[in-house]
């Protein structure tokens, strides 16, 4: 019983709030997530909003010989909580990176910057890659520096200043794009299905560099065809000098109408963005 103006406070344990199902995926289907996602022309930040980003600079290293240095920056975009983790440096087999790992703890909005010394062995001309990785938000986040051994590699940027914007937007009349280190081919140039059929759209990726390539491929097709393509994003890994297939399921629903359209794949890796030839998708009865 309480008398006038008397206050009593009681503490009672509250049951935990029931877990609510997520409305959709919270992590990217292709891992690791490339930190400089805008270079892949993917629009907004990846799923999870990239709470921590990582960057390696410079983006292209052309060492004459021997040891060189790159810089790694880890930044927290969190506003209330600190974040701690470990940066792992991946270099090609036979190379060394010092340090190979770097623990860190960041306050909200903080960042850390540190140098990494890389020592490659004597090797043949070609492209290799140095990556810095860290885990955040249930995802592996990665940035990559390209190391070009040799002066006349066809994958290197064209010497000289970039063309004026008025010239660049006119495109090119060349039947082939400049080599990038990854070539793309389709297993077939057309797919024909009947309602209820299932098949696969297969990309054939060939790695012409001296190191492993990791990335993701995403299908694009017109509105009205999306029911034919139930899974449009696939991650991939292609070893140096090897070829790998990336397979996307294609399914024609039982009520699919007759017609034909197109689909193509955007292939994204280490800040590069390439497009496959278009493939014909056809549904017949």
């Amino acid at each position: 019983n309480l008398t006038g103006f008397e206050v009593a406070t009681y503490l009672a344990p509250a049951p935990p709030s029931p877990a609510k199902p997520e409305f959709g995926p919270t992590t990217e289907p292709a891992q690791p997530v490339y930190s400089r996602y805008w270079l892949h022309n993917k629009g907004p930040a990846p799923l999870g909003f990239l709470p921590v980003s990582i960057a390696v600079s410079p983006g292209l290293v052309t060492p004459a010989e021997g040891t060189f240095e790159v810089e790694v920056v880890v930044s927290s975009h969190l506003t209330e909580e600190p974040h701690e983790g470990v940066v792992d440096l991946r270099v090609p087999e036979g190379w060394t990176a010092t340090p190979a790992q770097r623990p860190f703890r960041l306050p909200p909005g903080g960042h850390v910057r540190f140098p990494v010394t890389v020592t490659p062995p004597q090797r043949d001309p070609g492209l290799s890659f140095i990556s810095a990785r860290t885990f955040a938000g249930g995802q592996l986040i990665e940035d990559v520096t390209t190391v070009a051994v040799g002066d006349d590699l066809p994958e290197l940027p064209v010497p000289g200043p970039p063309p004026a914007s008025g010239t660049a937007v006119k495109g090119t009349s060349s039947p082939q794009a400049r080599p990038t280190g990854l070539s793309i081919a389709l297993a077939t140039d057309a797919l024909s299905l009947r309602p209820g059929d299932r098949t696969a759209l297969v990309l054939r990726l060939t790695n012409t560099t001296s190191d492993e390539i990791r990335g993701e491929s995403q299908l694009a097709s017109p509105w009205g065809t999306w029911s034919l393509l139930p899974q449009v994003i696939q991650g991939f890994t292609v070893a140096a000098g090897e070829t790998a297939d990336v397979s996307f399921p294609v399914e024609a629903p039982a009520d699919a109408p007759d017609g034909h359209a197109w689909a193509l794949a955007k292939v994204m890796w280490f800040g590069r963005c390439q497009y496959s030839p278009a493939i014909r998708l056809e549904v017949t009865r």
Side-chain angles (χ1 to χ4, degrees):
N1 296 326
L2 298 178
T3 61
F5 298 101
E6 186 177 6
V7 176
T9 301
Y10 298 90
L11 298 178
S17 301
K20 297 181 180 179
E22 299 288 351
F23 288 112
T26 58
T27 58
E28 289 288 330
Q31 298 285 329
V33 176
Y34 187 64
S35 184
R36 302 179 197 247
Y37 57 88
W38 56 90
L39 296 179
H40 288 171
N41 194 25
K42 289 205 64 178
L47 292 173
F49 303 109
L50 209 64
V52 173
S53 61
I54 189 166
V56 190
S57 60
L60 174 64
V61 178
T62 54
E65 287 184 5
T67 298
F68 60 92
E69 191 173 277
V70 296
E71 185 178 69
V72 178
V73 179
V74 186
S75 302
S76 172
H77 308 292
L78 301 172
T79 58
E80 297 180 352
E81 299 293 331
H83 176 80
E84 60 182 29
V86 176
V87 174
D88 288 298
L89 276 298
R90 179 210 171 271
V91 294
E93 185 177 356
W95 297 36
T96 60
T98 306
Q101 283 190 329
R102 169 69 185 267
F104 65 90
R105 178 177 174 83
L106 299 177
H111 73 277
V112 63
R113 183 189 308 266
F114 61 93
V116 177
T117 301
V118 180
T119 304
Q122 189 71 29
R123 63 183 305 167
D124 295 333
L127 297 184
S128 298
F129 308 103
I130 300 168
S131 64
R133 301 170 165 182
T134 190
F135 277 97
Q139 305 195 94
L140 181 60
I141 303 170
E142 174 183 66
D143 192 28
V144 177
T145 284
T146 298
V147 182
V149 178
D151 297 327
D152 56 350
L153 300 180
E155 298 90 352
L156 291 178
V158 177
S165 58
T167 301
V169 297
K170 295 179 181 178
T172 177
S173 58
S174 173
Q176 291 185 333
R178 286 177 53 82
T180 64
L182 186 71
S183 63
I184 307 170
L186 293 169
T188 182
D189 59 2
L191 292 174
S192 182
L193 299 86
R194 295 182 181 275
D197 284 353
R198 296 182 178 183
T199 185
L201 189 161
V202 179
L203 288 179
R204 193 146 291 151
L205 306 179
T206 301
N207 180 356
T208 59
T209 75
S210 303
D211 201 357
E212 177 183 275
I213 289 177
R214 302 171 298 281
E216 66 175 306
S217 182
Q218 181 173 356
L219 294 183
S221 67
W223 181 83
T225 64
W226 299 341
S227 61
L228 302 176
L229 305 170
Q231 187 176 354
V232 296
I233 298 177
Q234 298 274 15
F236 64 83
T237 300
V238 190
E242 299 293 332
T243 296
D245 287 350
V246 181
S247 180
F248 294 90
V250 182
E251 302 175 359
D255 59 351
D258 291 358
H260 64 85
W262 55 267
L264 58 79
K266 180 170 72 170
V267 179
M268 299 155 280
W269 59 282
F270 301 167
R272 285 88 161 168
C273 185
Q274 299 172 239
Y275 292 86
S276 76
I279 185 172
R280 178 185 174 96
L281 296 178
E282 184 176 21
V283 177
T284 61
R285 293 183 178 272

